[in-house]
Amino acid sequence: MRTPEALDEAERYTAHNYHPLPVVISEGDGAWVTDVDGRRYLDFLAGYSALNFGHRHPALIAAAHAQLDRVTLTSRAFVHDQFADFCRGLAALCGKDLVLPMNTGAEAVETAIKVARKWGYRVKGVADEQAEIIVAADNFHGRTTTIVSFSTDPDARADFGPYTPGFKIVPYGDLEALAAAITPNTVAVLLEPIQGEAGVLVPPTGFFAGVRELCTAGNVLFIADEIQSGLGRTGKTFAIEHEGVAPDMYVLGKALGGGIVPVSAVAADREVLGVLKPGEHGSTFGGNPLACAVGIEVVKLLETGEFQRRSAELGERLHAALARLIGRGVVAVRGRGLWAGVDIDPALMTGRTACERLAERGVLVKDTHGSTIRLAPPLVVTGDELDHAVAQLSAILVSP
Ligand SMILES: Cc1ncc(COP(=O)(O)O)c(C=O)c1O
């Protein structure tokens, strides 16, 4: 099936919950994808950071193949031989005692919310039904009914009520507002170390050190949603490391599945994650053998430090190149490592138009919030490929 036909068929038979660029991908390799007509593109979205290791990383594909030939699913009714290795490895990577594997990012966020509430009632001593969780404006934590209950994005939220209570929203990066929102009923503060969907917003220096202090002082769990920012994306294993603090709970997803299977998890110490008892939470597919086999390899890749190093070094090159476009069709650039939010001058074109023009020139990126485009290439991208992508961006801004 060629591109127009494949687009027509997709349009006819699917719910319109996405507005994809008109590219029909049939193959991926490293930082590159090929469409059904044989055109090649640099993938600078990388599955919203689910493809940090690139398409079909050989070690991850080998682990998946080997596991496919052994056993793929057991459910958690039994234990399988990949489970402990994955959980031990991931817990060590996070510096935490325990891990609870799930599948999608939203499920892991839901898990963190449930654990925080139960911890609040059973450990902190909050009165029944009174637990509060503080979140930030412009957050993105997923699409479930509870999560959209505390979204500030009308598209994510409108028409999906009634909403789950128990959440307070404060401006991102505003320590005073956060301090004022904490009460004896606050069980957790849930934040993205860098807000991805909001446009790759980096908080003011010292904000997270302040969050950590407030949480410790108020006996409140600090939950870092590192689903998009974590696992090498910003030049460190976790984006929160740039702030010199550690959260009480990590929420992970996306790249944890190596771009092969959905794998998410929360990681925390025993006094937090240990509150869950059999029957209180679970998932048929969470922590399945195929997921764990891939996850074990993901952890091993991260243990080498190579991807974090590449992201830090190449990130400097990317941000230096993007900074040169400011005033030349670009209004502002934000981000860390191989992750950038680029605000296109709205007088020139929308973010969507910029994405379409870049796709015509063989570079795939995605817009957010009108005039911002996000660049998040796989961490296996080369310096030359980065330069090429930025040159294409520069070209569309000069001759739209
Ligand atoms: C920070 C963050 N949290 C949660 C999610 C939700 O993950 P999923 O789409 O796998 O449910 C995302 C997805 O973009 C995200 O960026």
Side-chain angles (χ1 to χ4, degrees):
M1 213 184 285
R2 306 289 294 262
T3 297
E5 200 186 341
L7 290 174
D8 277 354
E9 293 279 288
E11 184 79 359
R12 189 167 311 135
Y13 293 111
T14 53
H16 294 167
N17 57 331
Y18 278 87
H19 182 31
L21 290 171
V23 175
V24 183
I25 294 167
S26 59
E27 273 177 46
D29 185 16
W32 291 87
V33 292
T34 308
D35 76 7
V36 286
D37 299 319
R39 275 207 72 187
R40 297 183 80 222
Y41 303 82
L42 268 173
D43 181 358
F44 265 49
L45 180 65
Y48 298 93
S49 292
L51 288 153
N52 280 2
F53 309 100
H55 292 269
R56 298 191 300 113
H57 187 286
L60 301 176
I61 292 293
H65 273 299
Q67 194 59 41
L68 280 172
D69 288 337
R70 295 176 61 238
V71 62
T72 53
L73 189 70
T74 57
S75 86
R76 293 284 307 279
F78 314 105
V79 181
H80 60 80
D81 63 2
Q82 304 296 301
F83 192 68
D85 282 351
F86 172 58
C87 295
R88 188 196 318 106
L90 185 58
L93 191 77
C94 297
K96 299 292 182 196
D97 297 337
L98 304 178
V99 156
L100 169 44
M102 298 294 284
N103 309 283
T104 65
E107 279 178 298
V109 172
E110 290 273 354
T111 304
I113 291 168
K114 285 175 70 177
V115 168
R117 284 180 167 183
K118 182 153 190 208
W119 173 87
Y121 298 127
R122 296 302 168 130
V123 179
K124 182 167 177 174
V126 172
D128 209 20
E129 298 284 309
Q130 299 304 308
E132 293 167 355
I133 295 178
I134 301 174
V135 298
D138 302 320
N139 68 73
F140 187 87
H141 297 287
R143 302 290 198 176
T144 63
T145 28
T146 286
I147 294 172
V148 301
S149 295
F150 56 85
S151 171
T152 56
D153 176 358
D155 287 344
R157 199 181 136 85
D159 294 335
F160 299 124
Y163 302 111
T164 307
F167 298 94
K168 275 188 179 172
I169 302 170
V170 297
Y172 187 66
D174 185 339
L175 210 50
E176 272 180 32
L178 178 64
I182 294 177
T183 74
N185 290 335
T186 307
V187 297
V189 172
L190 167 64
L191 295 168
E192 297 156 83
I194 291 177
Q195 287 192 323
E197 297 302 303
V200 195
L201 302 188
V202 181
T205 309
F207 172 63
F208 276 106
V211 171
R212 179 66 277 176
E213 261 177 46
L214 285 173
C215 287
T216 303
N219 195 21
V220 169
L221 299 178
F222 168 28
I223 304 172
D225 179 346
E226 292 260 14
I227 287 170
Q228 195 165 164
S229 60
L231 308 185
R233 172 52 58 195
T234 66
K236 294 195 183 283
T237 305
F238 303 110
I240 198 71
E241 289 176 65
H242 291 283
E243 314 294 335
V245 297
D248 299 299
M249 202 180 329
Y250 287 100
V251 189
L252 304 171
K254 294 198 193 278
L256 195 55
I260 300 174
V261 273
V263 185
S264 66
V266 300
D269 281 338
R270 196 171 305 277
E271 52 273 28
V272 176
L273 210 40
V275 297
L276 288 182
K277 299 283 175 285
E280 292 177 348
H281 190 61
S283 154
T284 304
F285 290 91
N288 68 71
L290 183 59
C292 288
V294 172
I296 288 167
E297 281 311 307
V298 164
V299 171
K300 280 190 196 159
L301 291 179
L302 287 167
E303 280 168 354
T304 68
E306 182 196 334
F307 296 89
Q308 297 88 323
R309 217 164 22 247
R310 289 185 68 80
S311 179
E313 286 168 14
L314 291 170
E316 279 189 23
R317 181 161 169 168
L318 173 67
H319 283 278
L322 290 172
R324 288 194 282 275
L325 300 184
I326 294 175
R328 297 182 45 237
V330 166
V331 178
V333 180
R334 295 168 301 276
R336 267 198 177 125
L338 281 174
W339 201 15
V342 179
D343 294 342
I344 305 291
D345 183 350
L348 217 53
M349 67 183 83
T350 63
R352 172 78 187 185
T353 303
C355 292
E356 287 167 355
R357 301 228 164 115
L358 279 169
E360 282 161 16
R361 287 171 165 270
V363 179
L364 299 182
V365 295
K366 193 73 178 76
D367 56 304
T368 182
H369 297 290
S371 53
T372 302
I373 60 171
R374 276 167 304 176
L375 275 58
L379 311 182
V380 296
V381 74
T382 66
D384 287 347
E385 288 164 347
L386 280 183
D387 294 346
H388 175 75
V390 177
Q392 301 317 304
L393 176 58
S394 175
I396 64 155
L397 297 173
V398 171
S399 52

